[in-house]
Amino acid sequence: MSAMTWTVAPEPYDSPVAAALWRAYYTEVSDRWYLLHERRRTDPDELEREIAAHSGSELAPPTGQLLVARHEGEPAGCAGVRLLDATTAELTRVFVREELRGRGAAPLLVHAAEDAARALGARHIVLDTRSDLIEARTLYARLGYQEGEPHNDDTYADHWYRKNLTVPAAPPPGGAAPGPSRRVRR
């Protein structure tokens, strides 16, 4: 088995890479919701409206950051953070392409997002997710997130998590390079 190289680095929220990953993310989570609740996929027009309405501009510096994971140099996933207030960041848009899941990218992205949140001055990080996104809930619990009270009124959120960022994070499996970009061989 050959080693796989993952890197995580900041990416402009409005880049073509970010747009492609956002489209893949939104398509998957939207389709999962509609298939579960209405036994259909997302209407293409609705998909386009939602993508246009949620550009990701809140993930732009100086109060946010979008991170992109690359596998062997190819865009494979993303995670974003944005400040909600001076000490609290929100983790959002955590996504890894289906064919690359289970290979260490999600924890690497979350740890990089936590580092980005710390760099923005956050002492805590929060997130929300849905009941049907079991893989996400399992990941967050494994990474030390504690389920708690709602921090927003998002229509689709069923679970809210929080993590203290003042405790140093354990490095992701395989170690990590210092600095704003992480590289891991697996």
Side-chain angles (χ1 to χ4, degrees):
M1 177 184 203
S2 64
M4 297 178 290
T5 301
W6 288 99
T7 59
V8 176
E11 179 80 25
Y13 78 91
D14 56 354
S15 76
V17 166
L21 288 167
W22 169 231
R23 179 174 295 282
Y25 165 84
Y26 187 78
T27 300
E28 180 176 335
V29 298
S30 181
D31 280 354
R32 282 178 71 163
W33 192 89
Y34 278 116
L35 286 168
L36 179 65
H37 297 284
E38 297 183 12
R39 302 204 192 297
R40 67 173 178 89
R41 295 197 178 279
T42 308
D43 175 85
D45 291 336
E46 178 187 6
L47 179 69
E48 293 308 317
R49 282 192 307 274
E50 287 301 311
I51 288 171
H54 298 94
S55 69
S57 62
E58 71 278 8
L59 304 178
T63 58
Q65 184 70 70
L66 178 67
L67 301 161
V68 168
R70 286 181 167 77
H71 175 260
E72 301 296 335
E74 293 298 317
C78 59
V81 292
R82 68 181 180 127
L83 287 177
L84 297 179
D85 61 43
T87 63
T88 306
E90 180 180 37
L91 176 63
T92 187
R93 296 190 187 198
V94 178
F95 172 74
V96 176
R97 292 191 182 277
E98 186 175 10
E99 67 273 14
L100 294 170
R101 292 181 188 154
R103 299 180 187 186
L108 187 65
L109 275 164
V110 172
H111 286 302
E114 290 169 357
D115 289 346
R118 284 185 195 91
L120 293 170
R123 298 174 55 102
H124 300 93
I125 192 166
V126 296
L127 64 93
D128 65 68
T129 192
R130 299 189 325 231
S131 291
D132 63 305
L133 300 176
I134 296 165
E135 308 93 327
R137 293 176 31 224
T138 301
L139 170 71
Y140 300 133
R142 189 176 72 223
L143 296 178
Y145 286 78
Q146 301 293 314
E147 192 162 359
E149 295 299 314
H151 62 270
N152 63 25
D153 60 358
D154 187 313
T155 303
Y156 298 103
D158 301 310
H159 299 271
W160 294 264
Y161 292 85
R162 182 177 183 91
K163 185 175 183 180
N164 181 346
L165 294 177
T166 61
V167 177
S181 176
R182 292 177 177 255
R183 178 182 294 272
V184 175
R185 291 187 73 77
R186 298 213 8 109

